[in-house]
Amino acid sequence: MNDRRIRIILFAAVFAVVLVAYLSSVAPTASFWDCGELIATACIYGVPHPPGTPLFVTIGRIFSMLPTSREYAFRINLIPVLFGAFSCGLIYLLVLKLISLYASPERRHDRWLSHVAGVFGALACAFAFSFWDNSVEAEVYGPCVVVALSVLYMALVWRDQLERTGGDNRL
């Protein structure tokens, strides 16, 4: 089995494990502080307090129309659950990319060790209290983390390809 297939399988496995854990503990209704406000404004497509988080409200409005539950709050609480699980998969890919960039050439035969480190890093982040707490209630941190990790991963891929091809800057 090639390395790309192993990465896809382990990315999906990390995503699935974290998704199941978060779905088992997601808030069934509105929580305190900003969560209730974000849920209410997503249902009516309104504007919460500044800065307004228009992307979250728009995604929340789409999720509020899904027939997954009778509770609007539960539907909108699924947003950070999905984004939190996806961000843990991205953490796995980032750890792999960083290890491959900085590993010495004689240590490249220990590929399984980098996969173990990536899975461990992703699951350690997933089950950290503050990350888990923000991933099971309507908060804007999950989508924000996905955007930040995606940009970081794309920058590392760009750097890696730039070094391999010697000046090809199209990516």
Side-chain angles (χ1 to χ4, degrees), residues 44-96:
I44 63 169
Y45 205 55
V47 179
H49 66 278
T53 60
L55 179 62
F56 186 85
V57 171
T58 303
I59 294 171
R61 179 66 180 149
I62 294 168
F63 271 71
S64 73
M65 293 186 265
L66 295 176
T68 55
S69 172
R70 292 185 62 187
E71 290 285 334
Y72 283 109
F74 180 79
R75 296 180 210 171
I76 296 168
N77 283 337
L78 290 178
I79 297 168
V81 167
L82 292 173
F83 278 99
F86 189 74
S87 64
C88 290
L90 285 174
I91 289 171
Y92 161 72
L93 292 176
L94 271 169
V95 170
L96 281 182

Side-chain angles (χ1 to χ4, degrees), residues 149-169:
L149 291 176
S150 298
V151 169
L152 182 59
Y153 184 72
M154 288 186 286
L156 289 175
V157 168
W158 168 76
R159 178 182 176 240
D160 189 32
Q161 286 197 358
L162 191 64
E163 287 179 355
R164 284 187 188 176
T165 58
D168 186 14
N169 201 14

Side-chain angles (χ1 to χ4, degrees), residues 13-154:
V14 166
F15 177 80
V17 166
V18 175
L19 184 67
V20 167
Y22 287 173
L23 281 175
S24 66
S25 62
V26 66
T29 60
S31 305
F32 288 118
W33 310 114
D34 293 345
C35 303
E37 181 184 6
L38 288 171
I39 290 168
T41 55
C43 288
I44 63 169
Y45 205 55
V47 179
H49 66 278
T53 60
L55 179 62
F56 186 85
V57 171
T58 303
I59 294 171
R61 179 66 180 149
I62 294 168
F63 271 71
S64 73
M65 293 186 265
L66 295 176
T68 55
S69 172
R70 292 185 62 187
E71 290 285 334
Y72 283 109
F74 180 79
R75 296 180 210 171
I76 296 168
N77 283 337
L78 290 178
I79 297 168
V81 167
L82 292 173
F83 278 99
F86 189 74
S87 64
C88 290
L90 285 174
I91 289 171
Y92 161 72
L93 292 176
L94 271 169
V95 170
L96 281 182
K97 181 58 76 176
L98 287 170
I99 289 174
S100 70
L101 286 176
Y102 295 108
S104 62
E106 61 269 0
R107 298 286 296 178
R108 299 226 181 219
H109 64 279
D110 291 337
R111 285 284 192 209
W112 64 271
L113 192 57
S114 62
H115 291 290
V116 170
V119 169
F120 181 78
L123 293 179
C125 177
F127 298 119
F129 175 75
S130 61
F131 193 82
W132 190 331
D133 190 40
N134 288 318
S135 293
V136 295
E137 61 185 9
E139 281 291 345
V140 297
Y141 305 117
C144 179
V145 169
V146 167
V147 169
L149 291 176
S150 298
V151 169
L152 182 59
Y153 184 72
M154 288 186 286

Side-chain angles (χ1 to χ4, degrees), residues 3-22:
D3 198 47
R4 178 181 163 93
R5 183 172 294 229
I6 293 172
R7 278 196 319 262
I8 291 171
I9 290 171
L10 287 177
F11 175 87
V14 166
F15 177 80
V17 166
V18 175
L19 184 67
V20 167
Y22 287 173

